[in-house]
Amino acid sequence: IEHTEIKFQISLKYKVIEEIFQETGDLYFAYTNQSYWQAFNDDISSPFREINHEPEFWLQFNPRQRLGAVKFTAASLGFAHESNGRGGTLSRSWNRVFLNLVFETGNLALAIKPWYRLPEDEKTNPGDPHGDDNPNILKYMGHGELTMAYRTNGNTFSAVWRNNLRSDNRGAIELGWSFPLFRRLKGYVQYFNGYGESLIDYDAYSNRIGAGFLLTDWL
């Protein structure tokens, strides 16, 4: 496996039902595909090293409450399944229920997202198709994440932080910077340090930086 590869992500979101629960909430469905492509690795025919799939749905409320300059923008309760779609000892998957709270003040947005992993039965052996593919994933992915984003002059600076809140202190931080190029096309720089960037190596430490393009604001 070469250190240099192409990483890309496609995310789609759709509002399934609008104004439910006394017209105070909306039901959403989303799907994210994140792929890691060894495009420059001719020795092994340039394969996709890993593809992660994450369908999810959530019920979102928009309270629009204010505490001084801080606006409580959204509160969501949902379910997410993440898998790499592989079998045997390469299979990775987990299910979560999550709460996501979003706050804004000026050009700064903050999202607090704790989750609870739904337990699975233990495998009788590593090749068993049934049971838990990654029983220790919470040690590396933690119990939630904190996301911050700041926008100024067409630039967006973001940070995502995860931690297992244990003495061994495993987790991850992802820093991003997007900047305008042409209409909806933006340049993008991303830095990742820690565990859990992809499911196949969630328990392996990764330190990487990348540059590319971002398409946003289509809807």
Side-chain angles (χ1 to χ4, degrees):
I1 298 297
E2 293 187 350
H3 290 289
T4 302
E5 63 184 4
I6 294 176
K7 172 186 175 182
F8 64 88
Q9 175 176 313
I10 299 173
S11 295
L12 305 171
K13 182 176 74 171
Y14 181 72
K15 186 186 293 186
V16 180
I17 305 176
E18 192 172 22
E19 297 182 347
I20 57 179
F21 287 96
Q22 299 180 347
E23 301 183 352
T24 61
D26 302 316
L27 182 66
Y28 286 87
F29 172 80
Y31 169 75
T32 296
N33 177 301
Q34 195 170 85
S35 300
Y36 300 81
W37 181 21
Q38 288 276 301
F40 312 105
N41 197 341
D42 295 333
D43 292 340
I44 55 174
S45 300
S46 305
F48 280 83
R49 178 176 64 86
E50 174 76 338
I51 302 176
N52 293 160
H53 309 272
E54 185 175 13
E56 56 185 323
F57 63 87
W58 67 90
L59 184 63
Q60 178 172 309
F61 299 92
N62 303 298
R64 304 295 180 185
Q65 300 294 322
R66 283 188 174 272
L67 180 60
V70 178
K71 179 171 66 175
F72 186 10
T73 306
S76 303
L77 178 65
F79 168 83
H81 168 76
E82 189 174 15
S83 170
N84 65 355
R86 303 170 78 170
T89 57
L90 297 178
S91 174
R92 303 285 186 272
S93 66
W94 64 321
N95 299 309
R96 296 171 286 167
V97 292
F98 62 84
L99 179 68
N100 194 28
L101 307 175
V102 182
F103 304 89
E104 296 181 15
T105 178
N107 294 333
L108 178 67
L110 172 69
I112 303 170
K113 186 179 181 180
W115 55 63
Y116 171 75
R117 188 198 178 190
L118 299 178
E120 300 179 60
D121 295 332
E122 293 185 11
K123 286 180 175 288
T124 55
N125 61 75
D128 189 348
H130 305 287
D132 196 345
D133 292 322
N134 20 246
N136 62 346
I137 193 170
L138 291 180
K139 293 180 181 179
Y140 301 90
M141 300 296 288
H143 298 274
E145 64 185 21
L146 178 67
T147 302
M148 293 184 291
Y150 180 75
R151 294 180 180 176
T152 178
N153 298 323
N155 295 266
T156 300
F157 301 92
S158 62
V160 182
W161 176 74
R162 294 194 304 266
N163 195 277
N164 61 10
L165 302 178
R166 301 185 184 198
S167 58
D168 54 5
N169 195 32
R170 293 189 179 101
I173 185 167
E174 182 181 279
L175 305 177
W177 170 36
S178 67
F179 48 92
L181 290 178
F182 178 74
R183 295 185 178 179
R184 293 190 176 98
L185 181 65
K186 295 186 177 183
Y188 186 58
V189 177
Q190 184 186 85
Y191 171 71
F192 181 90
N193 180 278
Y195 297 87
E197 186 182 23
S198 67
L199 281 182
I200 194 66
D201 54 8
Y202 72 88
D203 56 353
Y205 174 78
S206 177
N207 186 41
R208 57 195 286 160
I209 188 168
F213 303 97
L214 189 67
L215 294 173
T216 61
D217 307 324
W218 285 106
L219 299 179

